Amino acid sequence: MNPSAPAIDRTTLERRHHSGSGWFASIAVLSLVNTVIIFANLSFSFPVGLGISSLGAAFLTVQGGDYTTLLHVLGGILFAFSLGIMACLWICRSQARKGKVWPYVLGLCVYAFDALVTLLIKDWIGFAFHAWGLYSIWLGYTACKALGQLGEPGSESLEGPLGEPAPIEP
């Protein structure tokens, strides 16, 4: 720990941890809402959701053209894949709330990949929100790690960085 860095109290760490893990549920739910919005042919969406689910739903709604069948098949694959990602993010939220660090690592990787998808489709606002979300999740990750080092009040240990038990110090 850096001795010149200001100490952050447990309450702030818990708030950051809760906020960071909450992003996983927000991303999953808003991705599902965005998919419904695309299928309903409405003209708005939430930039926080998964770009890959929006892309898959958009391919599924393509009408006419030479590549319609191919786009529908690709859209179905992307849509099924994005439903799996949404479920994964929901599990990441529940596991992170239990004080585990691995869900943050997995969630950061998944959402960073999706940020690349938003760059690919040139969704600059979506990419900006992805960057903000990644930063917020990172804050939750670092707070969870710090809480693990502090230990749970009233218990001897909390899980270590990747889910293994933290060493108990005398």
Side-chain angles (χ1 to χ4, degrees):
M1 176 126 358
N2 185 354
S4 64
I8 299 176
D9 67 346
R10 176 176 280 285
T11 305
T12 302
L13 290 173
E14 288 172 350
R15 184 177 40 80
R16 285 182 182 172
H17 168 53
H18 190 335
S19 175
S21 64
W23 269 86
F24 297 129
S26 298
I27 295 164
V29 169
L30 291 175
S31 297
L32 195 55
V33 170
N34 281 344
T35 302
V36 170
I37 288 170
I38 290 169
F39 284 135
N41 203 23
L42 301 174
S43 60
F44 67 93
S45 66
F46 296 100
V48 176
L50 292 170
I52 197 163
S53 65
S54 297
L55 189 61
F59 284 170
L60 282 171
T61 59
V62 169
Q63 299 293 325
D66 294 337
Y67 301 103
T68 303
T69 304
L70 177 64
L71 290 176
H72 285 176
V73 169
L74 182 59
I77 292 168
L78 288 175
F79 183 67
F81 182 66
S82 67
L83 286 175
I85 292 173
M86 288 178 223
C88 174
L89 290 172
W90 194 264
I91 292 167
C92 283
R93 176 202 171 269
S94 71
Q95 293 300 305
R97 292 270 166 103
K98 293 178 182 178
K100 297 180 180 177
V101 177
W102 68 262
Y104 282 106
V105 175
L106 178 61
L108 282 165
C109 291
V110 166
Y111 207 48
F113 171 77
D114 196 69
L116 294 176
V117 171
T118 61
L119 278 178
L120 178 70
I121 60 176
K122 298 180 182 177
D123 178 7
W124 308 119
I125 294 174
F127 179 74
F129 273 95
H130 274 64
W132 179 35
L134 287 166
Y135 174 72
S136 298
I137 294 168
W138 178 260
L139 288 178
Y141 167 73
T142 57
C144 185
K145 281 182 63 172
L147 286 168
Q149 291 172 350
L150 289 176
E152 188 83 33
S155 79
E156 285 92 24
S157 68
L158 189 67
E159 287 188 359
L162 294 175
E164 65 275 353
I168 300 172
E169 297 180 17

